[in-house]
Amino acid sequence: MQVNDSIQTTNIATAKTDSVAVHSAKPQTPYEVLRLLPKDATPAQQDSAIQEWFEPKEIHYSSRPDTLHLPGQEIPRDLKEVSLPHYYRENFFSNNTMYHPELSTERIGASGDPIPYSFQNDSFITGILIVCFLLITFTLSRISEFLLHQTKQFFSTQKSEHSLTETGSEIKFQILFLFITCLLYALLYFIYTTHYISNTFIFSSEYILLVIFGGAIIGYMVLRMILYTIVNNVFFNNKKNLHFIGSQLLITSLEGVALFPLVLLMAYFQFSMQNAIIYTATILILAKILTFYKSYAIFFNQKGGFLQIILYFCALEMMPLMMLWSGLLVLTENLKVNI
């Protein structure tokens, strides 16, 4: 049979009479209640007896001001005020991340020299180059035969009056090559800018500057194509215009294929900047020579107008290129931070 863990008031009244004094009045303290219990009362029984006599009540502090303080001393702090003084809350180690583990630990230690920016450590640029490589590989696998055929027929003047043989998918892939070429030129100019002009710009991210350069080069390509279309439609027939547009897309595609290894060498193998400039200038000059030759072969071969081809090439090819270069220089000068 279990021992009863509670003691009623009647049990306390019939407690042993071996105590020195008989407490007829209500106990005033827990000690007096415990004296009324038997000596063998368990802790549970003692707790039950104390709860029987005493009930917890809410403590009400006096709202009157405390006047019992020494003369010349400040009024004591209110007991209900739990805010800590300023010298407890603010100290020398208040902002130390080791003193406050809840704070971020990214700034632990002394600040050192920042690591200079490089393509090799940029995961975003690496991703762009991987995507360009995959696109170039996929595009070459789809239209490699077409590009070889166009390259073989490039120096043939008998095709000038024939219509285009490209399909819709082949033209789309060539336009994709055009976009890749613009992106590679933007990367090359960005490397040139950070090496020769400045590596600090008003933007917090280098990607914004890269997007601006890419947009400027794409705008140059679109403007050049519009100028060629307007002028050629005025002076020449539609077949020659379509043939010339196909030749331009072919030249631009080959530019992108030739520039991609250069970008990889500069990004990951510390290729010399002077050699890179010579390589890029060589590719650009060869592209302009091929464009000049194709313009002469398609439009001016039978007319023998050498002066006309010079004016035509300078106005539609060299002037937009010079405008692009000067515009990029002005844009870079305005975007860099002048120290």
Side-chain angles (χ1 to χ4, degrees), residues 23-297:
H23 298 273
S24 59
K26 178 180 178 181
Q28 300 297 320
T29 62
Y31 174 73
E32 295 179 358
V33 176
L34 295 177
R35 290 187 60 186
L36 298 177
L37 297 179
K39 293 183 179 181
D40 58 349
T42 62
Q45 292 174 341
Q46 295 175 1
D47 181 70
S48 177
I50 292 176
Q51 292 182 11
E52 183 69 24
W53 284 102
F54 299 101
E55 296 181 359
K57 297 182 180 179
E58 183 179 358
I59 299 176
H60 298 280
Y61 293 100
S62 176
S63 59
R64 296 181 180 181
D66 185 10
T67 58
L68 299 177
H69 58 272
L70 296 176
Q73 300 293 327
E74 297 181 355
I75 300 176
R77 182 176 61 87
D78 190 359
L79 296 177
K80 294 183 289 183
E81 183 181 353
V82 294
S83 60
L84 295 176
H86 180 74
Y87 51 82
Y88 284 130
R89 290 183 283 107
E90 297 291 338
N91 52 59
F92 182 77
F93 301 100
S94 296
N95 298 326
N96 194 336
T97 54
M98 302 298 294
Y99 187 73
H100 293 281
E102 71 275 5
L103 299 179
S104 175
T105 58
E106 295 179 357
R107 298 183 179 179
I108 294 179
S111 59
D113 296 333
I115 300 176
Y117 176 80
S118 63
F119 277 6
Q120 188 175 2
N121 300 326
D122 197 328
S123 57
F124 181 76
I125 299 298
T126 302
I128 291 178
L129 294 178
I130 292 175
V131 172
C132 290
F133 174 75
L134 295 177
L135 290 176
I136 291 175
T137 305
F138 174 73
T139 305
L140 289 178
S141 64
R142 296 295 299 271
I143 61 171
S144 58
E145 296 181 358
F146 168 76
L147 291 178
L148 290 176
H149 177 73
Q150 289 292 95
T151 304
K152 292 178 181 179
Q153 300 296 329
F154 186 81
F155 296 97
S156 176
T157 58
Q158 298 178 357
K159 298 289 183 178
S160 60
E161 295 294 335
H162 292 180
S163 60
L164 284 178
T165 59
E166 293 94 333
T167 61
S169 60
E170 292 170 347
I171 294 177
K172 292 179 181 179
F173 283 124
Q174 286 182 306
I175 294 176
L176 179 61
F177 258 122
L178 175 64
F179 175 77
I180 294 174
T181 303
C182 295
L183 181 59
L184 294 176
Y185 272 122
L187 290 173
L188 290 174
Y189 183 75
F190 179 77
I191 298 175
Y192 171 83
T193 301
T194 55
H195 190 273
Y196 285 107
I197 300 178
S198 175
N199 56 2
T200 306
F201 297 90
I202 61 176
F203 301 109
S204 59
S205 176
E206 295 82 5
Y207 308 139
I208 301 177
L209 190 66
L210 186 60
V211 170
I212 293 175
F213 290 160
I217 296 175
I218 292 175
Y220 156 75
M221 291 289 185
V222 173
L223 178 62
R224 187 184 67 165
M225 191 67 66
I226 292 175
L227 291 177
Y228 270 118
T229 303
I230 294 174
V231 174
N232 293 341
N233 286 332
V234 173
F235 295 101
F236 309 105
N237 56 50
N238 190 32
K239 292 183 179 181
K240 290 183 178 181
N241 296 338
L242 294 177
H243 187 201
F244 181 75
I245 291 175
S247 301
Q248 274 194 325
L249 291 176
L250 176 64
I251 295 172
T252 306
S253 302
L254 296 178
E255 282 185 79
V257 174
L259 290 175
F260 184 72
L262 175 63
V263 177
L264 293 180
L265 289 174
M266 296 188 67
Y268 302 106
F269 297 97
Q270 289 78 39
F271 193 67
S272 174
M273 180 60 66
Q274 294 181 354
N275 295 333
I277 293 175
I278 295 174
Y279 183 90
T280 306
T282 303
I283 296 299
L284 191 61
I285 291 173
L286 288 177
K288 299 309 175 185
I289 290 175
L290 293 177
T291 304
F292 180 84
Y293 166 77
K294 207 60 183 178
S295 301
Y296 179 78

